[in-house]
Every structure is written in structure tokens, then in C-alpha cells.
């Protein structure tokens, strides 16, 4: 457990463990009157200042009932409870806002998520790449492609070694069939993370579209090397070998895919390959 002290009014008063406990109590709207006896008793000299903070935190919870109700519908882990409390301490606590943005995004409250990510950026003097990437994800889900792309791009400008930012831009270009641009971004992601399985798969798919079968095989094989339990890649690679008339290798790969996931699509392809082998 992280033993750093919490920021804001609780600096040097509570440990993270205590803040998590308080976050749980506040999220359940327990009465504030008992806190000084139950939690602060071993820190009498600072209890007055801490009690003032607790009053402020409780008031914040009361003023944000809609927010509390949304959070209560989720299965909150300790980090989220801490984030909720940290925001009540410091309205510009960036890490807390980013965490809350992730929670809202997972719950489908996209407007709230964007608001939290935007506040997180303010708390880091606009130099933190992650909230921009997260905003890009939300905008993409909402269909705001230009805003999504701009935020993904911003994340890579702030942190040029952020592979996921390049991958996300590649996906957007890929979906719009801008294959050359997509390849540039995917290759950037792979350069930063040679085991980026999804980027390798997508590079293989573009190579297939461009009828570069040998190149596609190389990318799909690298994807398997990076993630040996991903059945779909074995299937894609099997198709490539079938196109090259290497049916034995194709059969081996399809059987491997089926051993991982008994997908009917794989079974159908295996039957086609077996029929082709019998006809030879």
C-alpha cells in the first residue's frame, strides 16, 4: 500500500490508508460527528484542523448528490473512493479527476468523464498526456472524430513515447481507409512497443488488403509471438498460408486456434482446408 500523505488539507495528517477509509465512510454518507472519536483520536493535536476538513468534505458530498448517486451505482475500489475524497480536498487534484473520469467513462457517463479529464489537465498545467488520451477515447465513442484525433495527437505531442496514442490515431485512419497514414501510426506504436499485438495485427490486415501476403504473414507471426494465446491471429495467419496453397501449415494454425477457442468460424475454415487437402 502506498504510504504517501494525501494532498490538500490532510497533508501530513492522514496516510493513504486513512484517506481510503474516510472515502468509504463519506461515500456512504455516514455522520461526521463520530469521526474525531473513531479515526482522529490518536492525532488530537491536529484533530481541529482535520475536523474542519471533514466538515468541508461532507458539505461537498451533500452539494454533489447526483455525482454521489452515480458513483454509488458502480463497484468502487479503494482508488476511486480515494479519488472522490481527494477531489473534495483539492478541486484541481489532477490524478483524482483522471481516476473519476475513467470511472464515469466505464459507467457510460461520457459528459461527466470529459469534464473530469478536462479538470485533470488544468491540475497539471496542461502538460499531462493521459487525460488527453482518455478524452480522445470518449470523443471517439461519441462519434466526434476530429476531437478524438486531436486529443490522441496531443497525448503523443506531450509524451512522444506513448505508443497507445499512435495506435489510437492509426485505428482512426484505418477505419477511414487512409491506410498509408494508418501504417505510419501503427509503425510508430510498434517502434515504441515491439510487442504491441493489436498494432501488429492491424499492420497485417492492411498488408492483406494491399495483397502483400508475405508481409502480412510476417506481421501476424510477430503478433503471435507477442501474444501466443490470441486465437484470432492464428486464424488470420492460417488464411494467409491457405492463400499461398500451404494447406498443411494452414491446417496446423487453424487447429491451434480451435485449441484456444472452439469458434464455429474456425471449425468451418478447418473443414474447408481438410476438403482441399483431400482433393489434392
Amino acid at each position: 500500500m502506498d504510504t504517501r500523505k494525501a494532498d490538500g488539507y490532510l497533508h501530513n495528517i492522514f496516510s493513504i490508508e486513512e484517506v481510503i477509509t474516510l472515502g468509504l465512510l463519506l461515500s456512504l454518507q455516514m455522520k461526521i460527528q463520530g469521526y474525531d472519536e473513531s479515526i482522529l483520536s490518536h492525532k488530537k493535536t491536529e484533530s481541529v484542523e482535520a475536523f474542519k476538513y471533514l466538515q468541508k468534505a461532507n458539505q461537498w458530498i451533500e452539494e454533489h448528490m447526483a455525482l454521489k448517486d452515480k458513483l454509488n451505482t458502480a463497484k468502487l475500489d479503494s482508488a476511486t473512493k480515494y479519488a472522490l475524497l481527494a477531489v473534495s480536498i483539492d478541486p484541481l487534484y489532477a490524478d483524482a479527476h483522471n481516476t473519476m473520469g475513467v470511472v464515469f467513462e466505464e459507467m457510460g457517463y461520457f459528459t461527466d468523464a470529459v469534464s473530469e479529464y478536462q479538470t485533470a489537465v488544468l491540475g497539471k498545467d496542461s502538460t499531462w498526456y493521459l487525460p488527453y488520451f482518455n478524452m480522445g477515447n470518449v470523443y471517439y465513442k461519441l462519434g466526434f472524430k476530429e476531437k478524438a484525433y486531436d486529443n490522441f495527437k496531443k497525448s503523443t505531442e506531450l509524451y512522444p513515447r506513448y505508443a497507445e496514442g499512435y495506435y489510437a490515431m492509426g485505428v482512426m485512419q484505418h477505419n477511414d481507409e487512409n491506410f498509408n497514414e494508418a501504417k505510419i501510426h501503427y509503425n510508430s506504436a510498434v517502434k515504441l512497443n515491439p510487442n504491441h499485438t493489436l498494432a501488429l495485427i492491424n499492420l497485417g490486415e492492411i498488408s492483406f488488403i494491399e495483397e502483400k501476403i508475405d508481409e502480412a504473414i510476417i506481421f501476424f507471426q510477430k503478433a503471435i509471438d507477442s501474444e501466443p494465446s490470441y486465437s484470432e491471429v492464428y486464424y488470420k495467419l492460417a488464411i494467409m498460408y491457405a492463400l499461398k496453397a500451404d494447406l498443411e501449415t494452414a491446417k496446423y494454425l487453424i487447429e491451434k486456434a480451435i485449441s484456444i477457442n472452439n469458434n464455429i468460424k474456425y471449425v468451418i475454415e478447418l473443414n474447408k482446408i481438410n476438403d482441399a487437402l483431400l482433393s489434392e
Side-chain angles (χ1 to χ4, degrees):
M1 179 64 72
D2 193 342
T3 58
R4 293 174 300 168
K5 301 297 180 180
D7 287 343
Y9 289 97
L10 293 190
H11 185 63
N12 294 326
I13 298 178
F14 291 115
S15 66
I16 293 297
E17 291 88 341
E18 291 166 319
V19 168
I20 289 171
T21 301
L22 287 172
L24 175 60
L25 296 177
L26 284 172
S27 69
L28 296 175
Q29 276 201 296
M30 293 186 69
K31 295 296 182 181
I32 198 168
Q33 284 74 14
Y35 287 167
D36 59 336
E37 293 296 327
S38 61
I39 296 177
L40 306 177
S41 59
H42 65 297
K43 295 184 177 177
K44 293 291 185 180
T45 57
E46 292 144 335
S47 63
V48 174
E49 182 65 25
F51 190 73
K52 289 180 181 178
Y53 152 71
L54 291 171
Q55 288 177 317
K56 177 173 180 170
N58 192 63
Q59 180 182 4
W60 185 88
I61 293 292
E62 293 290 342
E63 291 173 352
H64 295 76
M65 286 297 294
L67 175 65
K68 186 188 77 67
D69 289 342
K70 290 176 182 179
L71 288 173
N72 281 347
T73 64
K75 294 181 179 179
L76 302 182
D77 58 14
S78 294
T80 304
K81 292 164 188 171
Y82 163 57
L84 174 61
L85 188 62
V87 169
S88 73
I89 304 169
D90 182 354
L92 290 179
Y93 194 84
D95 297 273
H97 281 289
N98 189 66
T99 298
M100 292 176 68
V102 171
V103 172
F104 285 142
E105 183 179 344
E106 291 176 351
M107 293 166 63
Y109 296 111
F110 297 132
T111 301
D112 293 313
V114 170
S115 178
E116 294 299 330
Y117 294 142
Q118 288 174 337
T119 306
V121 170
L122 293 175
K124 290 272 187 175
D125 297 324
S126 302
T127 61
W128 193 19
Y129 68 94
L130 191 55
Y132 286 104
F133 177 79
N134 290 338
M135 278 192 284
N137 278 328
V138 174
Y139 284 131
Y140 185 72
K141 291 175 183 177
L142 292 173
F144 299 129
K145 292 184 178 180
E146 186 173 348
K147 285 186 176 180
Y149 192 86
D150 288 344
N151 277 278
F152 290 142
K153 184 178 180 181
K154 183 70 173 180
S155 73
T156 61
E157 290 172 349
L158 292 172
Y159 183 32
R161 296 192 58 78
Y162 190 47
E164 292 305 316
Y166 294 104
Y167 171 73
M169 289 190 289
V171 169
M172 294 193 68
Q173 296 288 359
H174 193 161
N175 290 342
D176 288 340
E177 298 186 358
N178 297 323
F179 297 129
N180 287 334
E181 288 297 317
K183 285 193 294 185
I184 291 172
H185 293 311
Y186 289 147
N187 279 316
S188 294
V190 170
K191 183 178 180 180
L192 294 167
N193 177 11
N195 293 319
H196 199 300
T197 305
L198 296 178
L200 290 166
I201 291 172
N202 290 351
L203 282 167
E205 290 181 344
I206 292 175
S207 295
F208 169 63
I209 291 171
E210 296 176 339
E211 300 182 354
K212 299 175 181 178
I213 304 303
D214 289 334
E215 185 177 274
I217 287 174
I218 292 172
F219 284 123
F220 289 143
Q221 185 59 60
K222 287 182 177 180
I224 288 175
D225 293 340
S226 68
E227 184 51 71
S229 62
Y230 195 0
S231 61
E232 187 69 10
V233 191
Y234 290 97
Y235 169 74
K236 293 177 184 295
L237 188 55
I239 298 297
M240 298 302 103
Y241 277 104
L243 290 173
K244 289 175 64 69
D246 187 346
L247 298 180
E248 290 292 344
T249 301
K251 179 179 179 180
Y252 166 77
L253 290 164
I254 281 290
E255 289 175 342
K256 182 68 176 178
I258 292 172
S259 71
I260 298 171
N261 179 7
N262 193 26
N263 189 313
I264 185 63
K265 176 176 70 174
Y266 305 158
V267 175
I268 291 173
E269 188 62 31
L270 178 60
N271 290 336
K272 290 180 180 178
I273 293 173
N274 283 331
D275 290 343
L277 285 169
L278 288 173
S279 65
E280 286 186 343

